[in-house]
Amino acid sequence: MDMIAKLLDKGFARVIVLDGPSCGVEEKTLLLALWTYAMEKQHAKGEAWIHPYYGISHHAYQAARAFVEECQATGLPVALRDDVRLKPIFARLPGFSQGRNTLSYIEGIGSRFYVKTFAVDLPMEPTHQLEAENHALHCGDCRRCMEACPTGAIAEDGFHMERCIRYWMMPGKPVPEDIRASMGDRLIGCDECQKCCPHNPEAAGEPGMTVPLLRLLTEHKQMVEELKPVIGVNLTLPNRLLAQSCMIAGCSGREDLLPALEALTEHPSEAVREHAAWAAKCIRNKQI
Ligand code: SF4
Ligand code: SF4
């Protein structure tokens, strides 16, 4: 089986073959393997929500590692290359575009995809050639994501990373109060600036992953172990996950979570303590 067939067999939806040096890598070929997914029509309410991207990206990562191991076992010079900057490549790749929300889109697929990059030190026939100029934004007069963003991160003068909820998900330190109140039920991920975008197809997926909020607060270590195989180690660092859980507990308004939150105000982590105290205050005062 050739390398492209192997990647498709592992679940990747499409493989783009590019000349390596024209993408800034020394190896002769760069492979971009795309994993696509459908957005949920509606996610289950009332608990802690995980955006489908994070489950599929973990799945794609595991498939990519298995692919590299199999190739290397047969002597093929293939390596995973997470250090290659993709935005400048997408900006010149035919069929790709970018929106004001800074996300990359593929014609016919939209922004719901994840990419794994492989360098191959063998010549392969490119499927695409990079264009000479960067593409213009695909937005025209549209302002939908600017209006939909709960924290005003997308503005006329560009994208303000420090206003984006995703930037403040599990940073390991206390999150500014005005951002905390916008977390809603998002344990990981935010979809507002994608679901409103006319360049994305209608959401068609079934409701995906939610996690019981009370268990996140009271059976924390067990939840970390359960989530690790689903979304990976980086997104399940214990105190970060707990601090994020406290924030969304505060946004939930649920009084049954108060005892667990009050107990966490004595936690050794500053972010957990501060978020737990904030959440308990919000619930007691019916602030959100
Ligand atoms: S991910 Fe959410 S918070 Fe960030 S820019 Fe998009 S809508 Fe705004
Ligand atoms: S919602 Fe509109 S402005 Fe935002 S990225 Fe999509 S097309 Fe562009």
Side-chain angles (χ1 to χ4, degrees):
M1 200 186 285
D2 70 21
M3 279 188 270
I4 294 176
K6 240 186 227 286
L7 284 164
L8 297 176
D9 190 53
K10 294 220 170 292
F12 288 95
R14 195 183 287 187
V15 181
I16 292 172
V17 183
L18 294 166
D19 169 69
S22 70
C23 298
V25 298
E26 282 177 12
E27 290 87 346
K28 295 184 177 67
T29 300
L30 196 68
L31 299 181
L32 306 183
L34 311 178
W35 198 290
T36 58
Y37 64 99
M39 190 54 195
E40 304 163 342
K41 275 182 282 200
Q42 192 179 5
H43 70 261
K45 295 276 179 197
E47 299 294 346
W49 177 68
I50 298 177
H51 192 291
Y53 175 87
Y54 297 92
I56 69 107
S57 59
H58 184 57
H59 215 69
Y61 171 69
Q62 289 176 315
R65 283 189 57 174
F67 164 74
V68 169
E69 278 167 24
E70 284 167 29
C71 288
Q72 289 178 350
T74 58
L76 287 169
V78 179
L80 248 179
R81 286 293 297 271
D82 289 333
D83 59 325
V84 176
R85 285 191 60 229
L86 293 174
K87 280 264 159 74
I89 296 176
F90 291 161
R92 294 165 52 207
L93 196 52
F96 280 64
S97 62
Q98 191 179 322
R100 288 185 208 283
N101 55 10
T102 72
L103 297 171
S104 299
Y105 289 66
I106 309 172
E107 208 175 336
I109 291 176
S111 60
R112 320 288 196 183
F113 67 96
Y114 177 74
V115 186
K116 289 312 293 178
T117 309
F118 308 90
V120 184
D121 213 6
L122 290 174
M124 289 172 72
E125 187 64 36
T127 55
H128 295 65
Q129 306 280 355
L130 296 190
E131 290 166 357
E133 301 288 332
N134 286 353
H135 308 145
L137 290 186
H138 63 205
C139 301
D141 293 335
C142 180
R143 297 284 186 279
R144 288 192 205 177
C145 59
M146 295 166 69
E147 289 154 15
C149 175
T151 48
I154 311 163
E156 288 294 347
D157 62 346
F159 183 73
H160 296 263
M161 177 67 88
E162 75 293 347
R163 299 287 316 157
C164 176
I165 287 176
R166 283 180 304 162
Y167 177 80
W168 290 107
M169 277 175 170
M170 297 195 265
K173 56 187 179 190
V175 169
E177 286 207 22
D178 58 332
I179 301 284
R180 287 179 208 168
S182 299
M183 283 290 168
D185 62 356
R186 302 175 186 91
L187 187 66
I188 309 169
C190 171
D191 197 60
E192 300 308 315
C193 60
Q194 293 186 77
K195 73 180 176 201
C196 65
C197 180
H199 290 268
N200 269 331
E202 286 292 309
E206 293 307 313
M209 211 185 319
T210 57
V211 188
L213 206 35
L214 185 59
R215 285 195 67 209
L216 281 167
L217 300 178
T218 57
E219 299 171 40
H220 181 58
K221 289 189 177 146
Q222 177 62 25
M223 289 307 299
V224 166
E225 293 312 313
E226 288 178 28
L227 285 172
K228 238 186 245 176
V230 187
I231 52 175
V233 174
N234 290 346
L235 292 173
T236 50
L237 295 174
N239 286 347
R240 294 185 183 211
L241 190 68
L242 189 53
Q244 180 72 16
S245 303
C246 291
M247 267 191 288
I248 60 175
C251 295
S252 76
R254 281 174 47 182
E255 292 185 5
D256 63 310
L257 302 177
L258 270 175
L261 287 167
E262 277 157 2
L264 289 168
T265 60
E266 306 291 322
H267 194 275
S269 150
E270 185 196 1
V272 173
R273 280 198 311 273
E274 197 170 320
H275 293 176
W278 171 85
K281 182 172 71 119
C282 289
I283 294 172
R284 270 192 239 103
N285 298 345
K286 301 193 189 314
Q287 241 168 271
I288 295 177

